[in-house]
Amino acid sequence: MMAVTSHAQEAESPPLNIGDSAPRLRVREWLKGVPTQGFEKDKVYVVEFWATWCGPCRAVMPHLTALANEYKDSVTILGIDILEEKTTSMEKIKAFVDSMGHRMDYNVAADDSNFMTTAWLYASGKQGIPTAYVVNQDGRVAWIGNPTRLDEVLPKILNHTWDIKKTFEKRKFDKRLADLDDSAYYKLLSFRGDPEMLNNRHKQDSALLMIDEMVRMEPKLKYAPRVGIYTFTSILQTNAHKAYEFGKELLSTYTYEDPPYYVLKSIIETYSYKVYLPAEVYELAAEAYQGEIDRYPETTDIPKDYHKMAEWYWRACNRTKAIEAEQKAIEALKSKEKFSQTDLAAFESRLQQYKNM
């Protein structure tokens, strides 16, 4: 545990952080919208990074377009293409932007010799995309994070109620907690044993004792995604009701990132074939699906997720919710411009089964 704590304390702060003056803009070419040469005082900007190969980036583009339209008189959104493969030509990038049409309706440019990647993304300690930065009216970086959270941030920055100092301190703590969570997880791996075996009770008990000690030293670790999932998995093998209660808290607790919706529902599915699970645990899996739909509508296959939710509710003997979820699956599928008739037939067949049983 001392090694875990020391590792987190020694982590250096990134050279670009909340409250710093925004680095300058340097792009190779503007591909869409109005070129921006720099950040003007008393104006708010969103600098968002994406790439042609990035599925989540593509999924969030309509959301950024909606924000660009909503705040067209007060916020300038800049989508900067970075991290492209060396074989990706500028012509291919342009073709991608053109293919997005009205779904990518804001200012778009391509990075110049990795300048933006280095001076912004890597300098702030980030590695993945999509990542967005909000530059406030004073030209300072006021927020860094996933573009899906911009709805919560922009109104406060625009009305001058955003607390940069508090945001800086939270980001600093989140970095420390993430480091602790990662380090703890790798230490816990030695207790995991064979995931296909259920006779390793002594290892899980030892792991839970270690987790208790870690949480005693840093209480916020209890529901941190990696430690939280390991705790849930360990408890699920021996006390399903206790696992359910812990899982409910895990799904409703935001630490340094969103709750691990996807992982939790996958764990429940894995163990549903190995141990007896009560109805409440299957309903917990359905709630994890709903949480993912609510939080990431742009990157979630909503029809298939509702279809799976219906199955979980049916396993939980909740016929009413199973029917409701299957109906939502059908509605979401039909709302698509193009959809699979095979999927539609399967969904409608399953709905009829739920109604008839």
Side-chain angles (χ1 to χ4, degrees), residues 99-110:
S99 71
M100 291 301 294
H102 67 277
R103 293 171 296 169
M104 194 182 192
D105 197 10
Y106 44 90
N107 310 298
V108 182

Side-chain angles (χ1 to χ4, degrees), residues 297 300-304 306 326-341 344 347-348:
T300 301
D301 189 335
I302 294 178
K304 289 187 176 179
Y306 273 123
E326 199 64 56
Q327 288 173 332
K328 288 180 180 179
I330 293 169
E331 292 168 5
L333 186 65
K334 287 182 176 180
S335 69
K336 293 186 174 183
E337 292 182 11
K338 296 180 181 179
F339 60 86
S340 167
Q341 290 294 334
L344 179 60
F347 291 3
E348 290 178 335

